[in-house]
Amino acid sequence: MKRRDFFGAAALMGAALSTGKFASAQTTEETDKRDIARLRLCSQLGGIPGGTLPEKLEKLKKWGGEAFEVGAEVTDDAKCKEYNKMKADFDLEVSAICWGSCGGQLVSTDPAVQAAGMDEFKRVLEGAGKVGARGVIHVPTFNGQSELSNQELLERCRDYLPKLGEFAVAHNTTIILEPLCRYETYFIKQVAYGASICRDCGGREAGITVMGDFYHMDSEETSDMGAFISAGDYLNHVHLAGGRAEPMRTLPGQNGMSFVDGFRGLKYIGYTGFCSFECGCEGDREVEMPKSMQFLRDQWDLA
Ligand code: MG
């Protein structure tokens, strides 16, 4: 290295230190948040046995659930009122709104189609705010809904997500990007990739967060623990389901998949968000769901 190059490198190093790139390095003790992590179980309404909403929520509460996950029906004011009454009656929270891609409209190259998708997303975000949900789950595109390349999709996300994120924050909620397995999307497949989009769009303060779904992660992640640690503070929700082994995508504990590695990651980042059932069931849900909840608590203790 020539003397002049050496001084150039030293100056760069100094600049990096003064901008905090290296100064922000913390000790393991500071980044390990296992003491504050909690397993907070939740379920989508469809997965809870019972004929009526109160029946379902009474069971969920009795089995130790802390929240329920709902759908796009929160655009209906009457539904929001009903959910708010249920929250109060059963001392439960609404965790998230399971929404989706709106047919891929948000990434459409047709401005009118994209604008319609933005309007619909805003209506759902408003509803999410009304029921106090932590966020609205969003998939930019499923397979077959877009012709764009990964890079083009990324550019579109960086354009529309900050605008909708600002709207979400104004309504006390967030957008939650859901990575899916390759069989369902060619775009955001890994939790860390979703987290990098959160970072690019301003993160949690800008209303953009990510989630992990154990079913999808079983196909895409080399380490569930690594995936959750990569997401860190951007992680805002988790879906619970067994992986691809038969019976596929069933209640945790029914197909032999271990949750210990993933739970270790959740513990390490001090996760206090919800873990929500989104899965099928072998047998009677009335019997199997509380069994699965106990299985998860045991896995958490092992992690
Ligand atoms: Mg899911």
Side-chain angles (χ1 to χ4, degrees):
M1 189 187 274
K2 287 181 193 158
R3 187 179 154 81
R4 204 172 55 184
D5 293 343
F6 172 79
F7 283 120
L12 273 177
M13 179 73 84
L17 283 169
S18 64
T19 54
K21 190 77 182 169
F22 298 132
S24 67
Q26 293 169 291
T27 65
T28 305
E29 211 169 303
E30 283 170 319
T31 52
D32 180 350
K33 300 174 184 163
R34 274 178 284 195
D35 287 349
I36 57 171
R38 282 181 58 211
L39 177 64
R40 305 186 69 198
L41 295 172
C42 163
S43 180
Q44 293 185 346
L45 290 176
I48 314 166
T52 64
L53 190 54
E55 267 176 45
K56 285 171 182 275
L57 298 182
E58 192 181 350
K59 283 174 191 167
L60 182 70
K61 181 75 184 177
K62 186 177 78 185
W63 295 333
E66 296 187 43
F68 56 103
E69 180 179 323
V70 302
E73 65 274 12
V74 291
T75 51
D76 174 359
D77 255 343
K79 265 288 165 200
C80 290
K81 285 198 182 97
E82 186 187 6
Y83 289 154
N84 281 329
K85 181 174 185 319
M86 292 297 118
K87 279 173 67 180
D89 287 355
F90 295 97
D91 186 27
L92 291 165
E93 285 186 47
V94 172
S95 59
I97 312 299
C98 196
W99 190 52
S101 72
C102 201
Q105 287 188 31
L106 278 303
V107 297
S108 173
T109 50
D110 180 333
V113 173
Q114 209 227 5
M118 295 278 282
D119 287 345
E120 186 56 27
F121 207 155
K122 284 179 180 173
R123 291 179 61 222
V124 181
L125 287 165
E126 265 174 5
K130 285 178 194 164
V131 297
R134 292 181 170 212
V136 174
I137 298 169
H138 174 50
V139 174
T141 182
F142 286 89
N143 285 337
Q145 292 182 334
S146 178
E147 303 274 296
L148 298 178
S149 69
N150 200 297
Q151 185 58 31
E152 288 166 330
L153 288 168
L154 192 55
E155 281 160 19
R156 297 195 87 73
C157 280
R158 285 176 179 151
D159 177 60
Y160 77 80
L161 284 175
K163 295 171 193 162
L164 288 170
E166 195 180 338
F167 186 88
V169 170
H171 289 270
N172 296 314
T173 191
T174 64
I175 291 167
I176 306 173
L177 297 173
E178 181 170 21
L180 305 176
C181 67
R182 65 198 72 176
Y183 311 103
E184 296 188 29
T185 191
Y186 65 98
F187 184 37
I188 307 174
K189 298 195 288 289
Q190 289 185 307
V191 175
Y193 187 48
S196 76
I197 298 173
C198 296
R199 179 204 57 202
D200 292 352
C201 294
R204 200 178 269 263
E205 280 169 33
I208 311 297
T209 64
V210 71
M211 62 173 287
D213 179 321
F214 274 95
Y215 164 72
H216 296 291
M217 290 167 71
D218 188 41
S219 294
E220 304 302 329
E221 307 289 353
T222 51
S223 159
D224 290 346
M225 179 180 176
F228 285 136
I229 291 176
S230 300
D233 286 341
Y234 300 122
L235 192 77
N236 197 16
H237 199 55
V238 170
H239 273 163
L240 295 166
R244 291 188 60 77
E246 292 296 336
M248 206 203 304
R249 207 174 187 175
T250 192
L251 274 173
Q254 289 194 324
N255 77 351
M257 191 175 90
S258 171
F259 288 73
V260 173
D261 186 58
F263 282 174
R264 245 172 226 153
L266 294 180
K267 280 190 173 180
Y268 189 79
I269 63 170
Y271 184 68
T272 55
F274 293 108
C275 291
S276 182
F277 288 96
E278 184 189 52
C279 54
C281 170
E282 292 289 304
D284 182 0
R285 278 191 188 269
E286 192 89 29
V287 177
E288 298 300 325
M289 196 164 175
K291 249 166 70 179
S292 181
M293 290 168 94
Q294 190 52 51
F295 166 79
L296 290 165
R297 287 186 200 102
D298 293 342
Q299 295 268 289
W300 184 264
D301 289 343
L302 286 171

